[in-house]
Amino acid sequence: MIINFSVENFGSIKEKQSLSFMASKSEHLEDYYIIEPIKGLRLNKLALIYGANASGKTTVLKALDFLQDICTNPFDRKTEIFDFDPFLFDPNTPNQDTKFVLEFIQRGIRYVYEVELNKKFISSERLFNFNPNKALVFDRTTNSEKELTSIKFGSKIDVKKSIEKVIELQTLWNNTVLGALVKTNLDIVDLTNASDWFNNFTNFFNTHSDSKDYFTTQIDLNRINKNVIISFLQKADFNISDLEVNKKEDTQLRHLLLRSIKEAQNENDKSRYNEMLNSEVVFNRQLYFFHNVNSTKYKLNINQESLGTQRYFEYAGLLSILLEQNVLLPIDELESSLHPDLFNHFLLTYLVNGKKNSQLIATTHNREILNNRDLFRDDAIWFTDKNEDSATELYSLADFDSSVVRDTSNVLNAYKSGKLGGVPNLGDYYIDMGDEK
């Protein structure tokens, strides 16, 4: 679970910006929003981020996604570079490090993970645990001239010198220590805990992507609950009564993989093709929905359904993940293709039924929820806005004092009027079309 996440010099973010899941002392809706993974530590299950287009909402999710990627997908060659941009509207920031700090809970232990990097290499990396007091797990530095990594383990971490050397050798200058751990079979409790946290973090869902095949496979493998899918689709009043998945082997792909194994030039390629051959990629799956209309049952392929139904199906898959797994799930533009009532239904279903340690971060433009204080807590509502440097600023509704937002205030009206920021500055409707001829 996330406690706090901060990022600096990444995309539209220049100065350090922080997203916190730490809950205020307010008891409002705490039975639905608040979880306590460690005694005395109250965390929110939900963070909704509002803001104008290009204000940096998605950048916050991309930063978190980027951090997960460098901790789970290490490079194979030290010449590979990171795919991101620092803040570009400043003469200095392109030459300065990008920084991330993540405070999280894994297996009942509190951790703080820090990493600094540029496009070429990891400059520094640290991991601390609180068990119960703060202690160093490791401190990694990089010699940029020699392109070598040096790792120092904390005095309370029992790691043999030979194992330290193995980790150092696997940690290329452009790999994180946690990423390098993926390449080894070493089991160091704190490193494994941190690595597992990132591996249990679901990649952020962009509602413009197509995830129908993914969720179809998950249903077929019984990894998500078919009944949740059906129930959510029925809320949208599509007369859907059931669904089924038809599975068939892709013989052409199987033959291609068998030939690739035979022609492989090295053991690594052969192993990779063998792994694919024994995986689910060799199967094609078709999803069908059953509709009951006028006492008659009709069967339609998902591609014959409306685009709205297809999108609702993906949302149902996301909801099933939140209800059944202890995950962190970031969603970009949660309101996309969702009627406002279904938007509320999605959030409330998650808050009422979600797994104890699941968390949802979502960007949205849906403002209707702000009109009903019975649906949200102030510390779960966040805004992004651009300052005079065209840099993103991130702040919470709970940051405003009572002179701006009172407990009895209509937050929607305050937001629409611009008191809370995070809205576009449109000006008038006049466009200068140039001189008429």
Side-chain angles (χ1 to χ4, degrees):
M1 298 189 65
I2 285 188
I3 304 173
N4 296 297
F5 171 63
S6 67
V7 55
E8 178 180 342
N9 196 25
F10 181 91
S12 63
I13 297 173
K14 180 182 179 182
E15 305 293 339
K16 178 180 177 180
Q17 301 298 317
S18 298
L19 177 70
S20 177
F21 278 84
M22 294 187 70
S24 67
K25 295 180 181 180
S26 171
E27 297 180 356
H28 182 55
L29 298 174
E30 67 174 5
D31 290 342
Y32 304 103
Y33 273 80
I34 308 304
I35 42 185
E36 194 170 338
I38 295 177
K39 187 175 181 180
L41 181 64
R42 289 159 43 86
L43 299 181
N44 265 308
K45 291 176 63 176
L46 173 68
L48 292 178
I49 305 176
Y50 290 82
N53 293 102
S55 64
K57 301 186 303 298
T58 303
T59 301
V60 177
L61 301 191
K62 285 184 175 180
L64 195 53
D65 188 64
F66 176 83
L67 181 60
Q68 187 225 17
D69 186 56
I70 65 174
C71 290
T72 56
N73 295 301
F75 288 136
D76 292 321
R77 299 182 301 276
K78 64 180 3 179
T79 55
E80 295 179 83
I81 63 173
F82 295 111
D83 183 18
F84 79 99
D85 285 314
F87 185 76
L88 298 177
F89 297 142
D90 184 282
N92 299 314
T93 49
N95 300 314
Q96 295 172 349
D97 279 352
T98 294
K99 303 176 183 179
F100 302 94
V101 179
L102 179 73
E103 189 175 2
F104 63 97
I105 304 288
Q106 179 69 3
R107 297 190 176 97
I109 302 175
R110 187 172 182 170
Y111 291 95
V112 174
Y113 178 61
E114 305 173 359
V115 60
E116 300 183 17
L117 70 156
N118 52 52
K119 300 274 279 190
K120 291 184 177 180
F121 62 91
I122 306 289
S123 304
S124 64
E125 181 184 8
R126 287 170 292 276
L127 179 67
F128 300 89
N129 68 21
F130 292 77
N131 199 14
N133 299 316
K134 186 177 182 179
L136 176 71
V137 176
F138 73 83
D139 185 356
R140 172 265 185 87
T141 55
T142 300
N143 185 320
S144 59
E145 294 182 359
K146 296 182 179 181
E147 300 183 3
L148 293 176
T149 293
S150 175
I151 302 174
K152 175 185 176 182
F153 284 90
S155 58
K156 296 183 179 180
I157 307 301
D158 186 18
V159 181
K160 294 180 180 179
K161 288 293 182 182
S162 58
I163 293 179
E164 287 186 24
K165 204 64 181 175
V166 170
I167 296 174
E168 277 191 345
L169 289 173
Q170 291 292 340
T171 308
L172 303 179
W173 77 327
N174 56 349
N175 281 343
T176 62
V177 173
L178 297 184
L181 195 69
V182 174
K183 299 181 179 181
T184 73
N185 293 318
L186 302 176
D187 186 12
I188 301 170
V189 174
D190 289 309
L191 293 186
T192 301
N193 280 347
S195 179
D196 286 350
W197 188 92
F198 281 105
N199 280 295
N200 290 334
F201 160 25
T202 303
N203 290 339
F204 101 88
F205 180 80
N206 186 322
T207 51
H208 300 296
S209 62
D210 187 344
S211 302
K212 295 191 296 296
D213 289 343
Y214 170 77
F215 288 117
T216 299
T217 300
Q218 297 303 298
I219 292 172
D220 185 53
L221 297 176
N222 293 316
R223 291 176 180 168
I224 60 177
N225 193 325
K226 166 184 168 180
N227 293 326
V228 172
I229 307 294
I230 296 170
S231 175
F232 188 66
L233 289 171
Q234 288 175 337
K235 298 294 183 183
D237 196 22
F238 289 125
N239 296 317
I240 292 173
S241 59
D242 202 356
L243 60 81
E244 73 174 21
V245 178
N246 291 346
K247 179 178 177 180
K248 184 179 180 181
E249 186 177 65
D250 187 335
T251 54
Q252 184 177 356
L253 177 57
R254 174 172 284 278
H255 290 152
L256 176 62
L257 288 171
L258 286 170
R259 187 170 73 246
S260 298
I261 293 170
K262 185 177 181 180
E263 298 174 354
Q265 299 295 314
N266 57 66
E267 288 301 318
N268 285 337
D269 287 344
K270 185 178 292 186
S271 176
R272 187 170 71 253
Y273 293 135
N274 260 311
E275 185 177 337
M276 293 175 64
L277 184 64
N278 295 310
S279 72
E280 295 298 323
V281 301
V282 296
F283 295 101
N284 287 323
R285 292 175 173 84
Q286 291 294 318
L287 177 65
Y288 294 89
F289 291 134
F290 293 94
H291 296 253
N292 282 335
V293 180
N294 296 326
S295 301
T296 303
K297 181 177 285 190
Y298 299 88
K299 179 180 176 180
L300 297 181
N301 184 286
I302 187 171
N303 294 318
Q304 296 174 294
E305 302 281 358
S306 71
L307 293 178
T309 301
Q310 293 179 37
R311 182 58 73 188
Y312 287 131
F313 166 70
E314 294 177 315
Y315 278 111
L318 294 172
L319 185 60
S320 180
I321 289 173
L322 285 168
L323 297 187
E324 299 184 84
Q325 300 177 32
N326 289 319
V327 297
L328 169 69
L329 178 61
I331 303 178
D332 194 27
E333 297 186 10
L334 177 58
E335 79 287 348
S336 178
S337 299
L338 277 182
H339 185 279
D341 290 345
L342 282 173
F343 178 91
N344 290 347
H345 176 74
F346 181 97
L347 292 180
L348 291 173
T349 302
Y350 161 59
L351 291 170
V352 172
N353 303 284
K355 286 291 274 188
K356 180 180 178 182
N357 293 326
S358 64
Q359 288 176 305
L360 170 64
I361 309 173
T363 68
T364 183
H365 291 290
N366 182 299
R367 304 186 301 189
E368 291 197 13
I369 193 174
L370 299 179
N371 199 33
N372 188 349
R373 282 191 174 272
D374 290 334
L375 297 180
F376 70 89
R377 286 174 57 95
D378 287 4
D379 51 11
I381 304 298
W382 292 78
F383 303 98
T384 54
D385 210 352
K386 288 286 188 73
N387 61 22
E388 62 275 8
D389 295 328
S390 198
T392 294
E393 293 184 341
L394 175 68
Y395 50 92
S396 169
L397 179 61
D399 293 336
F400 291 91
D401 60 36
S402 59
S403 65
V404 179
V405 179
R406 298 182 177 86
D407 290 341
T408 57
S409 296
N410 185 305
V411 177
L412 176 59
N413 288 340
Y415 180 54
K416 289 167 64 176
S417 67
K419 289 183 179 179
L420 308 179
V423 292
N425 183 13
L426 300 177
D428 59 39
Y429 301 104
Y430 174 76
I431 297 178
D432 186 357
M433 303 295 290
D435 295 335
E436 294 185 3
K437 294 182 181 180

